[in-house]
């Protein structure tokens, strides 16, 4: 019997093509995930991955096991949902908090799946810009809240009886107006390549962004326009109009309503982690079922951005 955690790790590597990126998604360090994969290979009695300088790819045995693993993991998620239904999901309300980007691009498909599985549960959604969603969970104003944190940054302590489960990790990327020289290359752009460039600065006094803004300042990016509130749609619109460049989460870049060009940065250590905050001192079947759906949608799926 294979360990489901190790199977999920192999599936993640198959989908992102890199042990390092899979580790980021699953919340492991790269060495820890490598150890889990090595144990899985010992259990299987054969090599499952071919490691190379740009990442990793599946062997024939790895492809066979991943195909079976997806079915096993899907069945386990279904079992969790059915058990949650038995625990009492025939009514009541699920109160969700979310920040704007997640509310637009992550939440709708998961809410649709929840509604299909639990049509009798009433849903409510409120807007909370991080870290306010965590406070709302602690105060009992919502059952769950999608929130985020950035790297580099000091960790934000959680209130008593509140935990946070990682949903996904994404890199921060450079966005420019279409055709800009900085986004013409296909390789990663060193952060020092932003020196002297006119930067649309994203809320530098907003706690989640302070570490990122400091890193950009050290690289020599020159603030040109300040967007004082956390609004990525406005940032991308200003970038698209040629007023400067910006560094935003990859999901924001790929779903921008205005045309922008994108380029990965080197090193890729500017990141945003999206998590779901929940209370640990209450029985909440609807919240547990929703978290299981989040894991199924983003815990082992490709970044659908």
């Amino acid at each position: 019997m294979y360990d489901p955690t190790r199977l999920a790790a192999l599936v993640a590597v198959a989908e992102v093509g890199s042990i390092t990126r899979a580790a980021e998604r699953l919340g492991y360090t790269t060495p820890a995930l490598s150890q889990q994969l090595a144990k899985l290979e010992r259990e299987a009695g054969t090599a499952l991955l071919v490691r190379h300088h740009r990442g990793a790819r599946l062997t024939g045995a790895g492809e066979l096991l991943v195909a079976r693993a997806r079915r096993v993991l899907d069945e386990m998620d279904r079992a969790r949902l059915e058990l949650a239904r038995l625990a009492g999901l025939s009514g009541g309300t699920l109160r969700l908090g979310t920040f704007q980007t997640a509310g637009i691009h992550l939440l709708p498909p998961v809410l649709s799946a929840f509604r299909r599985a639990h049509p009798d549960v009433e849903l409510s959604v409120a807007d909370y810009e991080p870290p306010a969603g965590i406070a709302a969970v602690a105060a009992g104003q919502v059952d769950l809240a999608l929130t985020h944190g950035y790297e580099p940054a000091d960790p934000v302590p959680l209130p008593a009886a509140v935990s946070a489960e990682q949903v996904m990790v994404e890199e921060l990327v450079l966005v420019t107006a279409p055709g800009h020289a900085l986004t013409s290359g296909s390789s990663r752009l060193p952060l020092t390549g932003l020196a002297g460039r006119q930067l649309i600065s994203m809320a530098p006094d907003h706690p989640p962004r302070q570490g990122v803004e400091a890193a950009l300042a050290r690289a020599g990016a020159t603030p040109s326009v300040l967007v004082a509130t956390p609004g990525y749609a406005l940032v991308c619109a200003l970038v698209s109009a040629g007023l400067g460049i910006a560094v935003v989460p990859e999901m924001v870049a790929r779903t921008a309503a205005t045309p922008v060009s994108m380029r990965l940065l080197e090193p890729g250590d500017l990141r945003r982690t999206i998590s779901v905050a929940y209370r640990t001192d209450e029985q909440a079947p609807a919240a547990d079922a929703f978290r299981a759906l989040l894991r199924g949608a983003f815990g082992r799926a490709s970044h659908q951005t």
Side-chain angles (χ1 to χ4, degrees):
M1 180 71 71
Y2 297 119
D3 186 316
T5 301
R6 294 170 193 158
L7 292 176
L10 183 65
V11 171
V13 174
E15 289 172 343
V16 301
S18 162
I19 294 175
T20 298
R21 291 185 65 189
E24 292 172 355
R25 173 186 293 186
L26 297 173
Y28 289 96
T29 64
T30 299
L33 190 66
S34 294
Q35 290 177 8
Q36 292 296 317
L37 293 167
K39 289 178 182 177
L40 182 61
E41 288 182 314
R42 287 196 294 272
E43 291 174 349
T46 187
L48 303 173
L49 292 167
V50 175
R51 290 129 173 109
H52 51 83
H53 69 283
R54 290 193 295 179
R57 62 175 177 81
L58 295 174
T59 63
E63 290 177 354
L64 185 151
L65 187 55
V66 163
R68 301 295 190 274
R70 286 193 174 105
R71 297 175 193 171
V72 169
L73 295 169
D74 285 341
E75 285 299 322
M76 290 180 68
D77 274 345
R78 290 191 187 98
R80 291 189 192 100
L81 289 173
E82 289 171 7
L83 288 171
R85 182 179 296 173
L86 288 174
L89 284 170
S90 58
T93 300
L94 177 61
R95 302 166 301 163
L96 300 167
T98 183
F99 58 98
Q100 188 177 67
T101 307
I104 294 172
H105 301 295
L106 299 185
L107 202 55
V110 184
L111 279 175
S112 294
F114 184 89
R115 172 53 55 82
R116 289 193 299 270
H118 311 293
D120 297 328
V121 177
E122 182 180 341
L123 298 171
S124 70
V125 182
D127 184 47
Y128 289 96
E129 184 62 33
I134 294 174
V137 171
Q141 296 167 342
V142 293
D143 303 303
L144 298 171
L146 286 169
T147 187
H148 64 223
Y150 287 82
E151 293 179 48
D154 295 328
V156 177
L158 293 173
V162 175
S163 290
E165 179 180 353
Q166 180 178 297
V167 174
M168 64 181 290
V169 179
E170 58 180 338
E171 287 190 36
L172 304 189
V173 300
L174 172 69
V175 287
T176 71
H180 195 286
L182 279 182
T183 46
S184 62
S186 57
S187 61
R188 286 179 176 267
L189 177 71
L191 202 58
T192 53
L194 305 183
R197 300 290 182 170
Q198 298 296 296
L199 177 73
I200 297 178
S201 187
M202 178 67 194
D205 58 348
H206 187 56
R209 281 280 305 202
Q210 286 176 341
V212 174
E213 294 293 325
L216 295 174
R218 288 193 298 271
T222 306
S224 173
V225 179
L226 171 64
V227 177
T229 56
Y232 280 124
L234 175 57
V235 169
C236 288
L238 297 177
V239 166
S240 183
L243 291 170
I245 63 172
V247 174
V248 304
E250 186 174 355
M251 177 168 55
V252 171
R254 293 191 182 279
T255 58
T258 48
V260 295
S261 292
M262 182 188 88
R263 188 171 178 181
L264 295 175
L265 295 167
E266 180 67 39
D269 57 358
L270 301 182
R271 292 188 288 262
R272 178 172 75 166
T273 298
I274 297 176
S275 304
V276 57
Y278 62 98
R279 291 191 66 89
T280 56
D281 61 347
E282 297 176 355
Q283 289 287 334
D288 292 344
F290 191 84
R291 286 169 50 217
L293 283 171
L294 280 172
R295 283 193 295 273
F298 301 104
R300 62 177 185 276
S302 300
H303 292 301
Q304 298 177 4
T305 58

